[in-house]
Amino acid sequence: MSDSEHPVDLKSYIRRCAAILFAVVCTTSLMIATSFSHIGNGWAARVAIILGIAVVNALLVASYLMHLLSEKKMVYALLVFTVFFFIGLMGLTLWATNDFPPGTAIH
Amino acid sequence: MQANVQQFPPFRPSEAHAGGGDHGHGEHHEPGFFSKYIFSTDHKVIGIQYGLMALSFMLFGFGLMLMMRWQIAHPGVPVPVLGPLLEKILGQPAAGGAISPDLYNSFGAMHGTIMVFLGVVPLAFAAFGNYVTPLMIGAPDMAFPRLNMASFHVFFLGGVVMLVSFFIPGGAAQAGWTSYSPLATTIPTNGQAFWLTGMVLLITSSLLGAVNFIATIIQLRAPGMTWMRLPFFVWAQFVTAFLLLLAFPPLEAAGLLQLMDNVAHTSFFLPTGLAVGGQLANVSGGGSPLLWQHLFWFLGHPEVYVLILPAMGIVAEVITNNTRKPIWGYKSLVYAALAVGFMSFIVWAHHMYLTGMGQKIATFFQTTTMIVSIPSVIILTCMFLSLWGGSIRFNTPMLFALAFLPMFGIGGLTGLPLGLAASDLYLHDTYYVIAHFHYVVAPGTIFALFAGVYFWFPKMTGRRMNEFWGRVHFWCSFVFMNVVFMPMFAQGIKGMLRRMSDGGVNYSAAVVNKTGTAASPMIDALPGTVMQLNGWILWAAIALGIAQIPFILNLFWSISHGEKVDHNPWHATTLDWQTPTPPPHGNFTHEPHVVRGPYEYSAPDHATDFTPQDEAEGPATPKPPTPQH
Amino acid sequence: MEIPYTVQNRPDTGIYNAKVGIWLFLASEVMLFGGLFSAYILLRVGAAPGEWPHGWLNVTLGTINTILLALSAITTLLAWAACKVREFGKFKFFHACTIVLALTFLGIKSYEYRDKFMHYEVQLQPSAKNRAAGEFADGHLVAKSGDFDLAKKTGFIKLHGHIVKDRKELMDLRSPEAQAAQHEELTIAAADIKKMENYAPRHNTFTAIYFTLTGLHALHILGGTLVIFYLWGPGSRMWKTDPERFTNRVEVSGLFWHFVDLVWIFLFPVLYLT
């Protein structure tokens, strides 16, 4: 069911969409530019920047296209838990595979 | 949001029509066999479908276990009675009617898989959850009835794939229910691919089910059914559904990756330089075997709580009902269940202390593991305290529920040494571990499930199960369960390893021979008494099997011959007992308006010793001041 | 019997059932791709130094696909907006665009797959003429002679590529050395071939995770397209009977579609750009 908080005028939607598309094109170009640049020594710095831009891009899509900005509290609660466990899964796995008993030979 | 709080639309009484609220024809018509029993969207029928299928799978899994126990007690001796049949069906792996080591491995892997994913979870979560949850919250059905039907069909398909895998060349999966790589990929039969396909289907089914349960509990609570008026059973199902929802997908991911390893010959879990049978394997390498273990146990540990939480929910209902007093510490129970659910996501690597893990991460996981045991103890304590001062009715469901408490206690407390790295390094992969988790799941969860079957049978059929045979079933199961599992603690502490198809004979003999010639400082021979226990366990297991016959007969006999009872034979307060028996399509003849908490037993100024949640008379529990969302 | 809150929002939660359902489903999808991304990170971090490939994928095609998906996400949103303002014709138009964009995406994706499957690494026999030990040919298969048979050592293949001395040269295709390599048509006799293997999933851990991640994502695209096609075609009958419920369906399927776009937003940089 539609919420009254959203504009019901199709034109304003199209304007907003054009802005989002512009933003997506900008962030994508920025990512590609970073990828082909020579920032930093090796890939580490570039990967960090590119992923940072990707997160911004994703937040943009989630906030506006999935209209998370005007979503109900319950959905936020669910997503907070999910993100927490997502980070737990990734973070703890990485930590566990990089924490060795002293004296372990690696590669 | 303040403006439209609690404005619920008018109730539309039930009107027989399958299809979950599609529009159009409203006339009442009698559904045919297929739409009534196979393609039913009614949560009650689906619950019973799940229940019957899960009970059959449990019996099948038990049968596999009996054959394994025979092989352990009498290695290489043909299985009596079933041996010739086995040879006929499975051929070479069961040559001469005896169980070959390969077949033993298959049976071991499939016993675990079937009991967990096709037995206990479908019965505890899908069957009881489906049948009881919508009734308890006062909903006409699940939120997505057709999705509910689809989950059952996908589950059924997954079960079929698992069963079919026994009959393909090479037989079913042999790498254990944990399917550790690279073993799971290097076994040259197709059983593992079938196992993975089956698992992907079962996981999909569970995911759809979990979505449905959570949406139902959030959206379809009857007016007045606030969060803190939900019966504990519903809370338990709610937390369980979240565990399934968020912990299962990583295993699905892992399953897809292992499927790629098995079918497309990738190397996700295969390390560089992997040798198989003394030869360098023809794989690209570069993968990580530990990754599988992480992804598997990310599900594996929450799965333990998926198995136990619904059981706790059932026990809470049965205990309050039969002590005739409110449950002790309702809020503590609810918060403890939420805490268990939350913590269970960050303890998984305590299954992996032996993988060469560093001290820092091991310390982290030991800490979280000790923390997760606290809420479990809170739940158990609340239930024990509930017994205090109650006028207890010792009927069959109550006996099973009461037995659950100490049995789960034993299972839980023996888990603590496994959660600490120092003791786990010794106990890992011994029979101690087997005894520990079977105490949690077999005399623990399965007893609670029996309690549930005896308890809700009158709601499903309008008849009570026979009390005498119920007691026979209980006492025999109780005694033999303990005789089966208690000796395993001793065997494990003595160093008997699991997954040995000869029950340790070979291993024990080899070490004894060595002691005369060369020093073998690491291991002592298994004492003869430890091997002797294998024989006892076999006979106790057979007796346990025989003890289930009264239950099976009682279950089917009582459908048509049990004592007839009214809609609320246990004088219970929750909404599931405030509808006709069996509940019609749509569940309620009038819209339930909940005015009080779930366990209003023996209220001093009430005529009866129970006050149903929707009974308007009498003093209502005051509503909480802030609206709960 | 009617399930409450299929159309109306439940007063205390403020949303209708299907929206709760889709967000729960998306939460599980986050964990599914979370597991796979964890696998990606672990494989990449665990790779021996210099063993993780860079620049193996076509950035131009990846960028086009990114834009296509972004456009389709926007037409999906507009289709829902059109339903909300009760303009059915515009709904039909916007979702038709979505379907075309999605199918184009899949077309480009399958072209990329085909490219990888035609790309061979051909290890040569030590006896091969004019070749130093350890050299191998790498390039796209152009032609195979009719009698080509590796086991019988008959026939030949034609490869558009170059001769590589050390596999390390292939690991960063964006490096000046790799860019400078001269690609030409090579004819290799079956007798000279020790082993040939295309860039299928089994080639190395990068191709493995590339095919798995993008394959699963493509399956999501396919599923989403089918749902949107259903709503656009036969399912749109509901517009006449219950436009509000139909609008909800469009919104919920749109949420799924945006999630699939979101996954691609991470897949693109992770696989194509770094």
Side-chain angles (χ1 to χ4, degrees), chain A residues 57-69, chain C residues 23 262:
Chain A
N57 201 345
L59 285 178
L60 202 74
V61 169
S63 325
Y64 291 100
L65 294 186
M66 299 172 94
H67 41 87
L68 255 186
L69 277 183
Chain C
W23 275 111
L262 212 90

Side-chain angles (χ1 to χ4, degrees), chain B residues 228-292:
Chain B
M228 281 299 157
R229 283 177 180 168
L230 287 177
F232 182 64
F233 176 85
V234 178
W235 271 110
Q237 294 286 348
F238 187 65
V239 176
T240 307
F242 263 107
L243 298 184
L244 287 174
L245 184 78
L246 298 180
F248 248 142
L251 181 65
E252 187 154 27
L256 290 172
L257 296 181
Q258 203 179 67
L259 202 58
M260 289 291 282
D261 275 5
N262 278 332
V263 179
H265 307 293
T266 57
S267 298
F268 287 114
F269 305 123
L270 306 179
T272 308
L274 176 72
V276 180
Q279 296 252 307
L280 206 59
N282 179 21
V283 294
S284 73
S288 161
L290 278 185
L291 176 62
W292 167 266

Side-chain angles (χ1 to χ4, degrees), chain B residues 1 4-9 12-17 20-23 140-146 207-208 210-211 214-215 218-222 225 242 245-246 249-250 252-253 256-257 260 264-268 282-288 290-291 294-295 298 345 585-586 628-629, chain C residues 1-40 42-44 46-47 52 195 197 200-213 216 238 241-242 245 249:
Chain B
M1 280 321 297
N4 53 1
V5 172
Q6 302 294 327
Q7 285 296 312
F8 290 90
R12 268 159 285 202
S14 67
E15 189 184 305
H17 176 59
D22 248 3
H23 291 258
D141 204 316
M142 298 288 272
F144 312 113
R146 265 176 295 184
L207 282 179
L208 299 179
V211 167
I214 300 173
I218 290 176
Q219 290 289 103
L220 300 190
R221 281 168 293 122
M225 182 62 94
F242 263 107
L245 184 78
L246 298 180
E252 187 154 27
L256 290 172
L257 296 181
M260 289 291 282
H265 307 293
T266 57
S267 298
F268 287 114
N282 179 21
V283 294
S284 73
S288 161
L290 278 185
L291 176 62
H294 279 293
L295 294 175
F298 187 83
F345 280 97
H585 200 69
Q628 316 266 324
H629 81 163
Chain C
M1 179 197 62
E2 217 170 296
I3 308 290
Y5 313 120
T6 43
V7 181
Q8 302 295 322
N9 290 335
R10 183 181 161 102
D12 51 357
T13 57
I15 30 186
Y16 55 89
N17 296 345
K19 204 159 166 182
V20 180
I22 195 72
W23 275 111
L24 289 166
F25 180 69
L26 292 185
S28 86
E29 290 278 83
V30 168
M31 295 305 286
L32 175 68
F33 282 99
L36 291 170
F37 275 110
S38 301
Y40 169 86
L42 222 68
L43 292 174
R44 181 166 177 167
W52 190 260
K195 184 184 165 194
E197 184 180 285
R202 67 170 300 169
H203 187 65
N204 65 8
T205 40
F206 174 79
T207 55
I209 196 81
Y210 162 71
F211 276 104
T212 310
L213 278 170
L216 194 65
M238 190 187 256
T241 54
D242 194 349
R245 189 156 181 223
R249 286 190 166 182

Side-chain angles (χ1 to χ4, degrees), chain A residues 1-2 6 8 10 13 17 21 32 35-36 43 50 58 61 65-67 71-72 78 82 86 90 97 107, chain C residues 14 16 19 27 34 38 42 46 54 63 74 77 81 84-85 90 174 244 248 251 255 258 262 265 269 273:
Chain A
M1 190 193 168
S2 55
H6 290 294
V8 269
L10 200 56
Y13 262 110
C17 284
L21 186 65
I32 297 169
S35 172
F36 284 93
W43 278 97
I50 290 173
V61 169
L65 294 186
M66 299 172 94
H67 41 87
E71 202 41 270
K72 297 292 176 293
L78 169 70
T82 311
F86 177 88
M90 226 176 229
T97 44
H107 294 309
Chain C
Y16 55 89
K19 204 159 166 182
S38 301
L42 222 68
H54 296 281
T63 311
I74 277 164
L77 186 79
K84 284 213 304 188
V85 299
K90 282 188 176 147
R174 285 207 206 146
E244 203 148 1
N248 284 350
E251 181 184 13
L255 284 173
H258 292 136
L262 212 90
I265 285 177
L273 295 182

Side-chain angles (χ1 to χ4, degrees), chain A residues 21-37 49-50 53-54 57, chain C residues 59 63 66-67 268 273:
Chain A
L21 186 65
F22 180 69
V24 169
V25 170
C26 283
T27 47
T28 308
S29 326
L30 210 56
M31 282 197 283
I32 297 169
T34 318
S35 172
F36 284 93
S37 75
I49 296 171
I50 290 173
I53 302 171
N57 201 345
Chain C
V59 177
T63 311
T66 308
I67 302 296
F268 172 60
L273 295 182

Side-chain angles (χ1 to χ4, degrees), chain B residues 6 8 133-139 217-218 220-231 234-235 330 573-576 588 592-598 613-614 623 628-629, chain C residues 10 12:
Chain B
Q6 302 294 327
F8 290 90
T133 307
L135 289 172
M136 272 193 173
I137 62 173
I217 295 172
I218 290 176
L220 300 190
R221 281 168 293 122
M225 182 62 94
T226 58
W227 286 101
M228 281 299 157
R229 283 177 180 168
L230 287 177
V234 178
W235 271 110
Y330 170 78
T573 52
T574 44
L575 289 182
D576 45 334
F588 293 92
H593 276 270
V594 178
V595 291
R596 63 191 78 241
Q613 280 193 282
D614 60 342
K623 239 184 169 179
Q628 316 266 324
H629 81 163
Chain C
R10 183 181 161 102
D12 51 357

